Amino acid sequence: MNIPEIFKNLEYGPAPEGDEQAVAWLDSHGRKFGSFIDGTFTKPGKGFATINPANGKELAQITQSTKADLDRALKAARKATGPWQALSGFERAKYLYAIARQVQKHARLFAVLETMDNGKPIRESRDIDVPLVARHFYHHAGWAQHIEREFPDHQPYGVCGQVIPWNFPLLMMAWKIAPALAAGNTVVLKPAEFTSLTALLFAEICREIDLPPGVVNIVTGDGEVGAAIMDHPDIDKVAFTGSTGVGKAIRKATAGSGKGISLELGGKSPFIVFEDADIDSAVEGLVDAIWFNQGQVCCAGSRLLVQESIEKRFIKKLKARMAKLRIGDPLDKAIDIGALIAPIQVERVAELMKKGEQEGAIRYQPDGELPADGCFMKPTLFTNVSPANTIASEEVFGPVLVAMSFRTPDEAVSLANNSLYGLAASVWSENINLALDIAPRVKAGIVWINSTNQFDAACGFGGYKESGFGREGGKEGMAAYLRPTWETKLKALPASQKPVAPKLFETDGIDRTAKLYVGGKQSRPDGGYARAITGPDGKLIAEVGEGNRKDIRNAVEAARSALGWGNKTAHLRSQILYYMGENLDYRKAEFADRIRAMTGASVGAAKKEVDQTIERLFAFAGWADKYDGAVHNPPTRAMTVAMVEPIGVIGITAPDEAPLLGAISLLAPAIAMGNTAVLIPSEHSPLAMTDFYQILETSDLPGGVVNIVTGEKESLTNTLVEHDGVDAHFYVGDAAGGKRVEEMSIHNLKQTWTNKGKAIDWADKSVCEGEYFMARSTQVKNVWVPYGA
Amino acid sequence: MTLKAVDLGAHNHNHQRNPGFDLDLGWMRQVRMNRSALERRASTIGTRRSVKKQWQAAWLLRAITFIDLTTLNGDDSAGRVERLCAKARQPVRPEILKALGADGLKVNPGAVCVYHNFVETAVNALKGTGIPVAAVSTGFPAGLTPFETRIKEVEASVAAGAKEIDVVIERHHVLNGDWQALYDQMKAFREACGEAHLKTILGTGELATQTNVAKASLVCMLAGADFIKTSTGKEKVNADLQTSLSMIRMIRWFHEETGIEIGYKPAGGISKAKDALTFMALMKEELGDNWLQPHLFRFGASSLLTDIERQLEHNATGRYSADYRQPMV
């Protein structure tokens, strides 16, 4: 096209970013790559091709790591832990700082290579991914130096196994490696098989800056290698970003292993537009929400929820905007949408779109031709969609948006939360009252007000519900790579004593059979059976209801109806906990006698347990209005409010030892932070907790906040852990029981805490009255609030 | 809102001049601008779009046709204005145009913009070129002279041969939300313009918020403005991309509701060829190709032309050029 022609039509023309340096780099390695283990690259072995999805051409051969490779990487990582942890924070900071500098120096090479390997537009890899990578290492260089101050009595896990996805290859690697290294861990990381190249270039940087061998190991390969890392016994902590399906498999595979785990999984994030939004800006926001990285973003705003009053106008504007998106060669600087990762992904997305149409959704795609070759797809909008449609509920991971409308703020929240996922949400309104009302009510780990897909190293990122748990970024992200030192020093929990068979009808006084406590009322067990509770001498003390599945169901229903507890003021929750302590104090002699009768404890010991329980209730009453969030400081004109929110309904399997103190030590933080609970007291010694009904009843605790079901530990726990209405579970018992809880948690990916078969000293205030259990009773939501008149 | 003056369905319609509409305060209340979101969009226009090689040359030649070649200084004189007009007649050295294969194109600035006292000088100097003369008016740059004299000023410039009148608004009407007063004045200016086109300068750097900018844009368009323009060039903050976005989105909305196309003129501070390309990309993306015509888009600038010439020479020869090699503006 000549100049006079262009003068008339003002077309953009091609604006290619050169790939010469990246090609030279690939050539310099003979286009064959081994893994990076113990500071050196292994000889390239048998493997697979990595393909440029924009043109289908092979870029290089990547090695499929073997079991022996993995063992060697883990050995190197293990060996490196000692010297790496022996370095001062400042020394580690210098390494992280050097990595950040080196990433910046090679920024364009990283960006071009990323775009060639992944298919994302060069604008994104150049302006978003790579700068965020550098920022992540700079930020965490700071953490390396301040960890001891900010996390006293904590230590790194040791060796971290990390598996990352193909959508942000370099960025996800930075999110994994930076905090791990800052905390003093060493890592074995596997990049996605589609996108290993930038991780290998990164490995070169590690070598250039003389990072001690073994601190960072990059093993390439497919999902099998990933599974082998997660399963490997010599890993202390696993971190995974990827699909919810694989995340669940990892949770199951690591159950009972004692490994730390964080999972950042899928999403179907709502993009909520109220009628008082800056509509044009919201339309533009959608471009960044769902057509960023071809929609292959876990937190993509893929569900548009628009207020009915502006729906028509909004959709019209959106379609006009879609027609302006330029699709094509991702190395072109003026391209908005590049290539999807691989033909298989294109097929998957197309399949879901077909299903959407079969179910009645109406597809809109702008006119225009796609490039003949490569994994390109048009931006797509589905209207005439409702939550019942597959395309509205399943994660598509492609450039596909579904639009639904709502009438009221409440309906917007209901639709937003009508999802298995809970990763992110966008809320658009120029009314700060409305926006800040919606943000806490959406069940998502990140909420962007009048913005979308904002990321920063200083702000936590991670999901609620089946979007996973654990955070990356911010202080909450650092916490995921550290554990309290006491956790590593616990001894095994001795086996529970089998209760002696009761001698029936040997009770004294009037028969008192404790019922269950559900929804604020004492209720008879559904099955109509009772369970005898004996003392250590076999003497029958009392009988309690034999709870069954239906009782658990009822208790969870009551707990869910009581979730408004979390919206009560922290001051009120605090007052009620104080009141519980006060009422227990009033009846402490009675509780001490009960403990003695059940456990045979000495007078002093029983009295002490009650006293400690009162103190514990006071401790968490004190915490209720103090364990709060933070305002993070991202490098944009926005405040990011890290809110501490309750998880929801927490199931608790209380310990046999310390039957009152142990149960309250788990219950008190849960309700202090606004959760509701279903508690299974000690199977053998439940009476202190059934007596506790009266404390609950006299302390103004709203019905349903605490529900107690007595009966057989294992079957009740199983039902509770399998219940999708339960959001988290605390379990104390033997190692096998803890493992079972972790395995069974995967259906709705509830967060679990278990004693890992270890003995917790419930009297230890440093363990049981600190922030530890509060952190496990809460999740952090980062709300981004940009401002500016 | 039922303001349709032009049927949007009709394709390739001829541009119809803004007839003006009643002040619609209900519409005003719906105007919302989110500064942070506007800034995000504005900051990525230049990184999302890029033109290279012959595309860049063609775009830059086109950019010249959008320039209101301007001199608005206290020391302006007839000689200075004549030099500017001579430059307008031949904005690019013929050998450069030839080397670019663009010698067949008519490449002249959109207008020459001067103070009232030099309108006649400019009209005479541009005779036969078809290049219109624009006059800044109404107590430029503050707009705070007596209303009657401002009307007379407009009439005098039109009588002297100005085809376009760049008027300034009284910023305090915006800051105080006195939309009726602003509307009435603009309507009066429009009447005083007669056949000459009315370009309203908002002085955006003094309007405090993007919402104010957007509302002021709407009032001026309702009152009959043919163009809305950012700045006089005398405020501390001149044309920037995010403010432009507020204004051109109001132009878009106005068009959606009325079918009337209003022109946009960023002015002040646009002195680099790259900036001109970014503004053009912004117009193309937000308003479409139709708005990339001189009757709907102008730059208020002068040194911009020199930078464009340098880039064109580079494009033609492959060597980087220097400003002294281009005939002075």
Side-chain angles (χ1 to χ4, degrees):
Chain A
M1 207 179 288
N2 65 32
I3 288 177
E5 281 166 353
I6 306 166
F7 182 83
K8 284 197 183 67
N9 64 31
L10 285 185
E11 285 184 6
Y12 285 114
E17 174 74 40
D19 64 358
E20 301 80 10
Q21 305 248 0
V23 168
W25 181 80
L26 290 169
D27 288 343
S28 72
H29 288 79
R31 301 219 176 210
K32 282 194 170 72
F33 291 89
S35 290
F36 181 70
I37 295 173
D38 204 12
T40 54
F41 283 94
T42 62
K43 229 177 109 210
K46 260 202 351 219
F48 48 87
T50 190
I51 309 282
N52 181 340
N55 57 25
K57 287 187 186 141
E58 178 178 325
L59 292 167
Q61 283 286 325
I62 305 293
T63 299
Q64 169 78 358
S65 298
T66 61
K67 173 86 173 54
D69 293 334
L70 186 55
D71 285 342
R72 228 157 49 71
L74 282 161
K75 215 172 137 194
R78 177 65 60 196
K79 205 175 114 206
T81 51
W84 183 241
Q85 286 164 18
L87 293 179
S88 71
F90 177 50
E91 293 295 328
R92 282 202 303 277
K94 284 196 285 188
Y95 282 111
L96 288 162
Y97 187 77
I99 291 174
R101 294 297 287 248
Q102 214 63 2
V103 167
Q104 277 186 324
K105 277 185 253 175
H106 298 302
R108 195 54 58 89
L109 178 57
F110 270 117
V112 172
L113 196 60
E114 191 80 315
T115 286
M116 288 166 73
D117 207 12
N118 164 281
K120 64 173 65 198
I122 183 70
R123 178 191 75 89
E124 294 178 9
S125 51
R126 178 197 65 200
D127 296 347
I128 300 170
D129 294 40
V130 174
L132 281 172
V133 169
R135 160 94 181 123
H136 220 76
F137 281 102
Y138 281 127
H139 179 81
H140 285 87
W143 276 118
Q145 228 173 329
H146 294 299
I147 265 180
E148 281 174 41
R149 257 181 300 279
E150 289 292 304
F151 294 92
D153 305 317
H154 278 65
Q155 66 182 59
Y157 277 92
V159 177
C160 298
Q162 305 176 319
V163 173
I164 57 170
W166 44 256
N167 59 343
F168 294 91
L170 188 65
L171 182 58
M172 290 303 103
M173 192 199 60
W175 282 19
K176 296 281 177 288
I177 290 183
L181 261 51
N185 300 282
T186 60
V187 306
V188 174
L189 177 139
K190 187 194 85 69
E193 67 177 301
F194 286 132
T195 54
S196 308
L197 291 175
T198 47
L200 295 165
L201 177 58
F202 178 84
E204 280 194 354
I205 276 185
C206 294
R207 216 171 42 176
E208 281 169 18
I209 64 150
D210 279 331
L211 188 73
V215 171
V216 168
N217 303 275
I218 310 282
V219 292
T220 52
D222 61 11
E224 271 180 41
V225 179
I229 293 177
M230 296 294 160
D231 287 349
H232 204 287
D234 203 27
I235 294 251
D236 304 306
K237 145 111 196 170
V238 298
F240 172 77
T241 296
S243 72
T244 292
V246 175
K248 287 179 176 181
I250 290 171
R251 169 70 286 189
K252 194 165 182 188
T254 56
S257 67
K259 290 173 187 168
I261 178 167
S262 39
L263 300 173
E264 203 273 272
L265 309 175
K268 189 79 180 175
S269 297
F271 188 101
I272 309 168
V273 186
F274 287 97
E275 60 183 4
D276 58 1
D278 172 351
I279 291 174
D280 290 304
S281 288
V283 168
E284 196 56 42
L286 265 177
V287 172
D288 293 329
I290 185 64
W291 295 302
F292 175 49
N293 201 17
Q294 297 71 247
Q296 304 168 129
V297 183
C298 51
C299 54
S302 51
R303 281 189 299 148
L304 167 64
L305 305 175
V306 59
Q307 196 152 10
E308 215 169 283
S309 53
I310 56 164
E311 185 187 9
K312 244 178 101 179
R313 187 166 158 235
F314 191 91
I315 297 293
K316 198 174 154 200
K317 280 175 172 288
L318 177 59
K319 287 178 177 174
R321 180 68 185 90
M322 288 168 74
K324 292 269 180 192
L325 293 167
R326 303 187 77 230
I327 311 164
D329 179 6
L331 273 176
D332 190 308
K333 287 181 263 195
I335 281 298
D336 298 306
I337 299 183
L340 274 71
I341 188 68
I344 190 174
Q345 185 66 8
V346 174
E347 275 166 38
R348 211 190 82 87
V349 173
E351 195 57 39
L352 274 164
M353 291 203 289
K354 205 167 116 199
K355 205 162 185 182
E357 282 183 304
Q358 282 164 355
E359 291 176 14
I362 298 167
R363 172 160 69 169
Y364 168 79
Q365 291 176 325
D367 295 335
E369 293 294 308
L370 291 176
D373 300 319
C375 300
F376 296 96
M377 293 190 97
K378 284 189 175 183
T380 306
L381 166 70
F382 277 105
T383 52
N384 198 35
V385 173
S386 72
N389 295 125
T390 308
I391 196 123
S393 59
E394 264 192 45
E395 183 178 38
V396 177
F397 227 62
V400 180
L401 176 70
V402 297
M404 292 176 272
S405 67
F406 64 87
R407 294 161 298 173
T408 63
D410 284 349
E411 194 172 53
V413 171
S414 301
L415 281 165
N417 289 339
N418 188 207
S419 172
L420 302 180
Y421 298 109
L423 189 49
S426 264
V427 179
W428 292 75
S429 165
E430 287 302 293
N431 177 350
I432 191 171
N433 292 299
L434 177 60
L436 292 182
D437 178 36
I438 301 303
R441 293 166 66 194
V442 177
K443 297 280 175 219
I446 309 110
V447 178
W448 293 296
I449 291 178
N450 292 322
S451 54
T452 194
N453 279 339
Q454 300 280 297
F455 311 103
D456 184 54
C459 306
F461 183 96
Y464 283 21
K465 302 199 283 190
E466 290 188 34
S467 293
F469 40 74
R471 293 290 176 268
E472 299 184 289
K475 191 172 182 184
E476 52 268 37
M478 278 312 301
Y481 282 93
L482 293 157
R483 57 177 159 181
T485 303
W486 61 258
E487 239 189 20
T488 65
K489 293 181 176 161
L490 298 175
K491 296 202 165 55
L493 180 71
S496 283
Q497 300 257 306
K498 277 261 178 258
V500 183
K503 299 169 191 144
L504 290 178
F505 310 117
E506 276 197 15
T507 180
D508 46 5
I510 297 170
D511 173 71
R512 286 188 295 157
T513 300
K515 297 174 188 157
L516 313 181
Y517 189 67
V518 174
K521 292 190 185 69
Q522 300 192 30
S523 61
R524 285 180 206 290
D526 169 82
Y529 291 101
R531 160 179 292 256
I533 302 300
T534 54
D537 55 357
K539 190 174 159 190
L540 180 74
I541 313 170
E543 287 176 291
V544 295
E546 181 72 48
N548 67 10
R549 288 178 63 81
K550 288 184 180 163
D551 295 311
I552 290 287
R553 176 200 66 189
N554 296 343
V556 173
E557 255 163 53
R560 288 211 79 78
S561 327
L563 281 171
W565 172 244
N567 300 329
K568 300 272 193 264
T569 66
H571 173 72
L572 179 78
R573 293 199 300 268
S574 164
Q575 290 291 299
I576 288 174
L577 279 157
Y578 277 126
Y579 200 14
M580 285 161 63
E582 192 185 316
N583 284 327
L584 181 59
D585 185 62
Y586 185 66
R587 300 171 61 170
K588 62 182 170 188
E590 180 194 323
F591 273 83
D593 287 349
R594 197 55 129 176
I595 290 169
R596 281 189 66 206
M598 290 190 297
T599 66
S602 71
V603 177
K607 186 172 170 294
K608 199 169 163 198
E609 183 175 341
V610 179
D611 283 340
Q612 284 165 336
T613 306
I614 295 164
E615 189 174 343
R616 187 116 328 149
L617 284 165
F618 263 57
F620 286 104
W623 266 125
D625 60 356
K626 293 173 192 66
Y627 187 73
D628 53 15
V631 179
H632 293 314
N633 200 4
T636 64
R637 198 182 59 240
M639 56 182 121
T640 305
V641 183
M643 299 173 65
V644 170
E645 292 193 339
I647 299 173
V649 175
I650 299 185
I652 300 172
T653 307
D656 285 328
E657 72 279 11
L660 177 65
L661 178 62
I664 295 301
S665 296
L666 296 172
L667 184 65
I671 64 173
M673 297 321 293
N675 301 280
T676 62
V678 175
L679 182 133
I680 303 166
S682 161
E683 180 177 324
H684 310 318
S685 314
L687 298 173
M689 286 314 292
T690 58
D691 291 347
F692 203 76
Y693 301 166
Q694 295 186 1
I695 304 289
L696 297 172
E697 279 167 348
T698 51
S699 304
D700 299 337
L701 186 75
V705 173
V706 173
N707 305 276
I708 297 174
V709 179
T710 50
E712 195 205 359
K713 178 174 183 169
E714 185 170 336
S715 63
L716 293 180
T717 298
N718 288 355
T719 307
L720 196 50
V721 177
E722 279 183 333
H723 198 306
D724 287 338
V726 177
D727 304 296
H729 196 91
F730 299 162
Y731 177 89
V732 184
D734 58 23
K739 180 178 181 186
R740 208 172 54 242
V741 165
E742 289 177 352
E743 281 173 345
M744 291 171 68
S745 71
I746 64 167
H747 188 256
N748 69 341
L749 263 184
K750 53 174 63 68
Q751 306 186 26
T752 56
W753 174 85
T754 81
N755 61 324
K756 301 182 170 74
K758 298 288 201 286
I760 306 264
D761 177 3
W762 298 103
D764 185 342
K765 282 191 265 189
S766 68
V767 171
C768 298
E769 283 182 10
E771 301 190 9
Y772 183 81
F773 283 108
M774 242 125 34
R776 274 137 197 90
S777 304
T778 53
Q779 48 197 348
V780 179
K781 169 187 280 178
N782 274 266
V783 182
W784 288 67
V785 190
Y787 52 87
Chain B
M1 283 166 288
T2 48
L3 299 167
K4 288 272 180 310
V6 171
D7 180 9
L8 289 176
H11 245 346
N12 294 327
H13 58 273
N14 292 320
H15 176 69
Q16 183 186 326
R17 198 176 173 197
N18 184 6
F21 300 88
D22 290 340
L23 179 61
D24 185 342
L25 292 173
W27 189 350
M28 300 282 291
R29 275 192 290 276
Q30 292 180 44
V31 173
R32 285 183 181 82
M33 289 288 158
N34 185 287
R35 183 174 149 204
S36 297
L38 291 165
E39 284 171 356
R40 275 196 302 277
R41 169 64 166 155
S43 68
T44 55
I45 277 288
T47 56
R48 278 183 184 274
R49 293 294 179 262
S50 174
V51 280
K52 300 288 172 204
K53 302 199 168 144
Q54 67 262 44
W55 285 271
Q56 189 180 71
W59 277 56
L60 289 174
L61 287 167
R62 189 71 171 264
I64 293 173
T65 70
F66 301 142
I67 295 178
D68 276 2
L69 207 57
T70 302
T71 184
L72 294 170
N73 295 309
D75 59 357
D76 283 350
S77 66
R80 158 76 183 132
V81 169
E82 279 161 1
R83 191 173 76 208
L84 195 72
C85 292
K87 185 68 182 169
R89 282 172 173 272
Q90 186 166 294
V92 185
R93 275 154 47 210
E95 66 269 28
I96 295 178
L97 286 178
K98 191 143 187 261
L100 293 170
D103 41 351
L105 296 175
K106 186 174 153 42
V107 179
N108 291 110
V112 166
C113 181
V114 294
Y115 273 116
H116 167 79
N117 287 5
F118 299 106
V119 170
E120 272 190 59
T121 313
V123 168
N124 289 330
L126 292 170
K127 226 166 233 152
T129 62
I131 301 170
V133 173
V136 295
S137 191
T138 68
F140 183 92
L144 293 170
T145 53
F147 180 66
E148 298 71 24
T149 62
R150 278 184 273 157
I151 292 286
K152 287 207 163 62
E153 205 186 336
V154 172
E155 289 167 349
S157 293
V158 172
K163 297 290 182 219
E164 301 177 3
I165 306 294
D166 290 23
V167 303
V168 287
I169 68 166
E170 291 186 45
R171 276 67 118 183
H172 65 100
H173 287 329
V174 177
L175 299 176
N176 293 332
D178 198 350
W179 306 117
Q180 189 68 50
L182 179 62
Y183 176 85
D184 291 344
Q185 288 194 347
M186 288 304 122
K187 208 167 156 64
F189 292 156
R190 167 66 196 268
E191 276 162 25
C193 278
E195 291 301 305
H197 276 213
L198 173 69
K199 289 144 90 184
T200 58
I201 305 171
L202 304 184
T204 54
E206 294 173 347
L207 296 186
T209 67
Q210 295 295 343
T211 306
N212 278 348
V213 168
K215 286 181 173 175
S217 300
L218 180 54
V219 172
C220 291
M221 290 189 287
L222 288 169
D226 298 294
F227 257 85
I228 52 176
K229 173 177 169 185
T230 57
S231 326
T232 64
K234 311 294 182 191
E235 294 90 46
K236 281 191 197 117
V237 181
N238 290 310
D240 59 35
L241 287 167
Q242 60 262 33
T243 307
S244 297
L245 200 48
S246 299
M247 293 172 71
I248 66 182
R249 282 185 176 168
M250 290 313 295
I251 290 173
R252 187 166 72 187
W253 195 1
F254 191 79
H255 180 243
E256 285 163 6
E257 299 295 338
T258 68
I260 296 292
E261 301 154 344
I262 304 294
Y264 177 63
K265 179 177 171 184
I270 304 165
S271 56
K272 298 287 174 218
K274 178 104 173 44
D275 298 340
L277 295 176
T278 306
F279 270 101
M280 286 169 70
L282 181 69
M283 294 298 284
K284 186 176 167 81
E285 293 297 312
E286 292 278 329
L287 283 167
D289 288 349
N290 182 47
W291 256 266
L292 287 170
Q293 301 186 70
H295 71 277
L296 288 173
F297 184 50
R298 296 283 179 79
F299 296 112
S302 49
S303 60
L304 171 63
L305 180 54
T306 306
D307 199 55
I308 289 176
E309 283 180 84
R310 286 175 54 220
Q311 297 308 322
L312 289 172
E313 186 170 11
H314 173 236
N315 213 289
T317 66
R319 292 189 311 272
Y320 288 106
S321 177
D323 52 3
Y324 72 86
R325 298 173 65 88
Q326 316 307 336
M328 194 168 148
V329 175

